[in-house]
Amino acid sequence: MRGRHALAAVLAAAAAMTAACGSSSTDQAAPAPPPPADVSAPPAGLTWANYQGVQVPRGDAGPHRYSPDGVRVEFDHTPQGVALAAMTHSVRVGIAPDTSWPNVLTASVAPGPGRDEFAVNRVLVSITQPVAKGDAPVIVGYEITDYTAGNAVVWVYTREADDSLAATRVQEVWREADWRMVMPAPGESTAPTVKAVDTLPASVVRVSPDA
């Protein structure tokens, strides 16, 4: 932003000098807009990490910072960064154990009534063990259906233990230099956040080799 302000000041000064002299030689062409973000490009450097029995992808676009209690933060401000954030948040927030879920929730989810309600309900349950082998879902891909610099909607596709497919809607916002998941406020939306699907759409970016 400082550079933009400085450029504006220089252009304003140049315009004033031109007006005073009463002449102008050429018109400066406006800079070309940046290319649109490529939401279909897969994340580079993809690897997998086991969290509570579920394999979670990570890559060159994040996460870039880790903590022993399961917190994963600092995703790139790109479509690939938000895709990795959505896949990470949709798993870790849901199955974080009793010993670490408050830290995972605070670091991964944007503040709001939805997060507050989740915290109240999470206190009522207990998670002390990883997901049982054979019951864990497998993340097979994702689709970004909406993307701006400040907001994104990502559908995360998983293959369930019974071999069925499900899609989970994850909304992310760019806040405090990182992507944060948004939990709808109570009664805010009637749209399903999880739905069953028969097959993976052609537009899905596949991340699992057995997708």
Side-chain angles (χ1 to χ4, degrees):
M1 295 299 294
R2 293 180 179 176
R4 186 176 298 175
H5 291 160
L7 177 60
V10 170
L11 292 178
M17 292 176 63
T18 300
C21 295
S23 64
S24 177
S25 56
T26 59
D27 293 330
Q28 189 174 21
D38 187 358
V39 298
S40 63
L46 201 64
T47 59
W48 296 81
N50 184 301
Y51 181 70
Q52 289 282 91
V54 179
Q55 295 294 321
V56 183
R58 55 189 179 186
D60 294 347
H64 299 298
R65 189 156 61 87
Y66 307 80
S67 68
D69 59 2
V71 174
R72 300 291 185 268
V73 294
E74 294 184 6
F75 295 87
D76 289 359
H77 198 187
T78 63
Q80 293 68 40
V82 78
L84 289 167
M87 290 184 283
T88 297
H89 296 157
S90 63
V91 172
R92 290 180 177 271
V93 171
I95 61 174
D98 296 348
T99 55
S100 61
W101 74 259
N103 291 338
V104 173
L105 185 68
T106 300
S108 305
V109 180
R115 191 177 81 173
D116 295 342
E117 182 189 41
F118 179 90
V120 170
N121 293 329
R122 178 61 181 82
V123 172
L124 303 178
V125 300
S126 179
I127 299 176
T128 59
Q129 300 294 326
V131 178
K133 187 176 181 180
D135 292 339
V138 176
I139 298 175
V140 295
Y142 69 87
E143 181 181 13
I144 300 175
T145 56
D146 184 32
Y147 180 83
T148 67
N151 183 81
V153 174
V154 183
W155 284 90
V156 178
Y157 288 80
T158 54
R159 190 175 299 280
E160 304 302 308
D162 61 0
D163 207 36
S164 64
L165 292 171
T168 301
R169 183 184 186 275
V170 183
Q171 183 180 359
E172 298 274 340
V173 293
W174 184 255
R175 175 175 294 205
E176 297 177 356
D178 205 358
W179 290 108
R180 301 285 191 92
M181 185 167 69
V182 176
M183 289 183 168
E188 184 177 70
S189 174
T190 57
T193 56
V194 181
K195 62 182 181 181
V197 294
D198 295 328
T199 59
L200 291 177
S203 53
V204 167
V205 179
R206 302 193 180 205
V207 297
S208 175
D210 60 351

